[in-house]
Amino acid sequence: MPRVSVVITSYNYGRHLGQAVESVLAQTLTDLEVLVVDDGSTDDTLEVARRYEAADPRVTVIAQENSGQPAIPRNRATERAVGEYVLCLDADDHLAPDVLALCVAELDADPAAGMAYPTTQMVGAREQRLSIVEWGVERLALCNFLPCPTLFRREAWVAAKGYNLNVRGYEDWDLWLGIAEAGWTGRPAREAIYFYRQHDDGGLCEQARPHDQRLKAQVVVNRSGVFTDLQLEWAHGVLAGHASALAIDGAQPGHVPQFAEEPVPLGAASVSADPAVRAAWLRSGSDDVVSPFGGGPLADLLGLAQRLDYSEVRDERGAVVARRRAKDPVLFPVPALRADASDAERATALAAAAEQLLVAAALRAPTLDPRRTAGFLGLREDALGPILQGAVAVVESGAADVSAADAPVIGAVARLVRAERTVAGDRAGADRAANVARAAARAGLEGARTVTVLAYGDELVADPTLLSSYGDAFGAQDDVTLVIATDDPATLSGAVVAAGLDSDASPDMLAVTAAPAIVDAVFSRRAVGAAPRFDDTTVPALRALVAAAA
């Protein structure tokens, strides 16, 4: 079964059809099928299509009477398509050889993405490469920026109920909004190039311009879940012919009017699990979720998030609880809590949120304060600029490896960036920074196993029973490394040999000159650090922690 189905529709474009088909058959991704639909052409379209069908088993021809609009043959062919992914291509356009491979890679990389779109290169009457636009549902609700040959998941097309037939000329835009309304996102495939033939008459979209206002209004009604109440009210007014609605239009053709929303007062927000109900928030998952503030109803927490312009709330485990309708996701830093969450889970989630909020707030007055930031990072204020700039670049890259020499500054900057991204509601940015912070914390621990337990060499040498008890509890098969901070490795080595822990069956151990900033646990009788502390009297509890973490 092919992974990708490419649908090529043609009405009297026999002169261009060969280039379109050949551009698909020449793709670097070869696991595909091509469905060519002759939409009742009166030229040689069907003859050209049949030649390719006879020459290549991947090509199938569908002949039908003229439908009068592209949505009908596209829907018909997509229903027959067997690929996981589908791309619709007009017969007068064509693709660069790697478009399918690059777009498939984007969808494979993100299960939440329902669409991947290429860069448009205009050819013909007008030559121009268009800048690719970052994905955003609010931006897409304003105007269309995804081209016709956007690769989409077939299941996303099913969820959107296919191309609508009542928006001729805007059917692509309508479908993309329907896929977004069904909960999917989009991803740009920047290096993928699609060649869009510009005709003197402007094509179907230009022909739709005289009906622009009515068509936009119909798009809003069709895909109301991604539009605001005021936009939906305007759209109904336009379709009903109300003069007040007809007097309002977008800034230019193809743009939906924007209406200023009244500030939301504090209080409970409207929320529903049913997309058909026009509540401010769409709830997902379990409804057994409460506010962390006194255990009040979820609606109270959503009201606070909405008042502060956040649009996504998750629980303490990271699962999405609710999203605002018609808004791009901006994550609220404070999690909702499952009603059955343990006290430990609640405390951990709220402590993490409080840390991010406090760090971000403490370093701003109201913009990033150099003195405070330099103090937080342990740098001189006059050295802050270049060091901070370089460190932020490393953090934004999501680097998985950090040198031990750079780890202290990189780790501190990563924690700062994570705090700022958390408060900004940028979950992806916060996750990138958190990954760098973890890499910085493990700098110098290359080769360590999943769980790291810190011990102190001088203490193990002075108290052999401590080291022996660890050796009795763990062996080479355990996914844990005892990280021993010591300035006298020779004496430590003697203690390890004396304890009989120098064989292949012994637990994994690593000597370092300085204690790492972050470990999973500490094995010591000393009260140091924030990590859980164990000693020879609590070894079973340490084993339980290692088993759970590994």
Side-chain angles (χ1 to χ4, degrees):
M1 180 182 296
R3 288 206 75 196
V4 178
S5 299
V6 178
V7 173
I8 303 177
T9 55
S10 178
Y11 174 67
N12 288 343
Y13 273 146
R15 62 193 184 279
H16 298 305
L17 179 59
Q19 185 179 26
V21 174
E22 289 175 12
S23 77
V24 176
L25 297 178
Q27 290 292 301
T28 57
L29 186 152
T30 59
D31 188 13
L32 57 85
E33 66 170 346
V34 185
L35 297 99
V36 181
V37 186
D38 173 28
D39 192 24
S41 300
T42 58
D43 67 355
D44 63 345
T45 288
L46 186 57
E47 179 184 346
V48 172
R50 293 291 189 201
R51 285 203 302 267
Y52 284 101
E53 183 181 42
D56 195 312
R58 294 176 295 174
V59 179
T60 299
V61 175
I62 303 171
Q64 64 179 40
E65 294 184 0
N66 182 249
S67 64
Q69 59 173 309
I72 292 175
R74 289 180 190 168
N75 279 338
R76 181 179 180 185
T78 304
E79 287 171 357
R80 289 186 53 174
V82 297
E84 176 186 1
Y85 302 133
V86 179
L87 181 145
C88 292
L89 179 67
D90 289 335
D92 57 333
D93 302 326
H94 59 284
L95 308 175
D98 54 1
V99 165
L100 294 184
L102 292 170
C103 288
V104 165
E106 292 296 333
L107 295 188
D108 283 348
D110 185 358
M115 304 165 278
Y117 50 99
T119 296
T120 299
Q121 171 67 57
M122 301 174 74
V123 297
R126 182 182 174 193
E127 301 278 342
Q128 180 185 0
R129 179 167 295 188
L130 305 181
S131 298
I132 201 162
V133 178
E134 289 292 339
W135 168 259
V137 67
E138 293 176 61
R139 186 178 293 120
L140 185 63
L142 171 64
C143 64
N144 186 34
F145 57 86
L146 273 63
C148 166
T150 288
L151 186 75
F152 55 85
R153 296 182 190 272
R154 193 178 185 282
E155 64 176 307
W157 174 85
V158 171
K161 298 181 172 59
Y163 290 93
N164 274 318
L165 307 184
N166 58 357
V167 284
R168 184 177 184 272
Y170 288 174
E171 55 275 299
D172 293 333
W173 183 22
D174 181 273
L175 176 64
W176 313 144
L177 289 167
I179 292 174
E181 185 180 37
W184 302 89
T185 63
R187 288 172 67 102
R190 300 182 185 285
E191 303 304 318
I193 306 298
Y194 135 74
F195 297 94
Y196 170 59
R197 191 177 304 277
Q198 187 76 8
H199 297 277
D200 291 330
D201 63 1
L204 187 60
C205 287
E206 285 302 317
Q207 297 167 25
R209 294 306 188 210
H211 314 289
D212 172 70
Q213 192 176 42
R214 181 188 63 78
L215 289 171
K216 288 186 303 195
Q218 189 63 61
V219 167
V220 173
V221 172
N222 287 351
R223 309 302 188 181
S224 61
V226 295
F227 292 97
T228 66
D229 291 339
L230 291 174
Q231 288 172 322
L232 185 59
E233 181 182 343
W234 165 82
H236 282 303
V238 167
L239 297 177
H242 296 162
S244 58
L246 292 169
I248 302 170
D249 203 357
Q252 54 186 299
H255 285 63
V256 172
Q258 304 295 291
F259 301 95
E261 297 183 54
E262 292 293 325
V264 179
L266 280 175
S270 59
V271 56
S272 174
D274 183 357
V277 176
R278 288 192 64 78
W281 292 78
L282 179 64
R283 193 186 72 240
S284 56
S286 171
D287 60 355
D288 196 15
V289 180
V290 298
S291 167
F293 306 120
L298 174 64
D300 288 348
L301 181 65
L302 299 181
L304 175 60
Q306 185 172 339
R307 185 67 180 84
L308 297 174
D309 289 328
Y310 292 98
S311 54
E312 181 179 272
V313 172
R314 299 189 176 221
D315 67 21
E316 76 282 0
R317 293 183 177 176
V320 175
V321 170
R323 287 194 175 115
R324 280 187 69 188
R325 182 173 47 78
K327 295 292 183 183
D328 290 313
V330 179
L331 180 63
F332 191 40
V334 181
L337 297 176
R338 294 172 298 107
D340 63 349
S342 68
D343 289 343
E345 287 177 316
R346 293 174 184 235
T348 299
L350 289 177
E355 178 186 2
Q356 310 311 317
L357 293 167
L358 288 171
V359 167
L363 300 181
R364 289 189 170 277
T367 58
L368 195 65
D369 182 272
R371 180 183 58 79
R372 296 179 182 180
T373 304
F376 178 79
L377 299 177
L379 300 172
R380 299 193 323 273
E381 188 174 339
D382 59 359
L384 178 64
I387 294 178
L388 184 60
Q389 184 177 8
V392 167
V394 172
V395 173
E396 292 294 342
S397 73
D401 297 313
V402 177
S403 70
D406 294 334
V409 172
I410 296 292
V413 171
R415 293 194 298 276
L416 168 59
V417 172
R418 180 190 177 201
E420 290 207 296
R421 291 298 84 211
T422 299
V423 173
D426 177 5
R427 181 177 177 85
D431 287 345
R432 278 197 307 274
N435 288 337
V436 175
R438 282 191 288 271
R442 290 180 66 88
L445 299 182
E446 291 77 9
R449 299 185 180 182
T450 301
V451 181
T452 52
V453 177
L454 174 64
Y456 297 92
D458 60 335
E459 186 178 18
L460 298 180
V461 169
D463 189 352
T465 58
L466 197 61
L467 184 58
S468 297
S469 65
Y470 184 89
D472 291 340
F474 297 100
Q477 75 281 1
D478 293 303
D479 194 12
V480 57
T481 297
L482 185 67
V483 180
I484 307 173
T486 180
D487 57 4
D488 188 356
T491 302
L492 173 64
S493 178
V496 169
V497 171
L501 299 180
D502 57 338
S503 71
D504 291 342
S506 300
D508 188 57
M509 291 180 283
L510 176 67
V512 296
T513 56
I518 299 178
V519 290
D520 297 293
V522 175
F523 192 65
S524 171
R525 293 196 178 91
R526 301 170 182 171
V528 292
R533 185 178 63 83
F534 304 88
D535 57 28
D536 54 330
T537 65
T538 54
V539 168
L542 177 59
R543 277 206 59 85
L545 181 146
V546 170

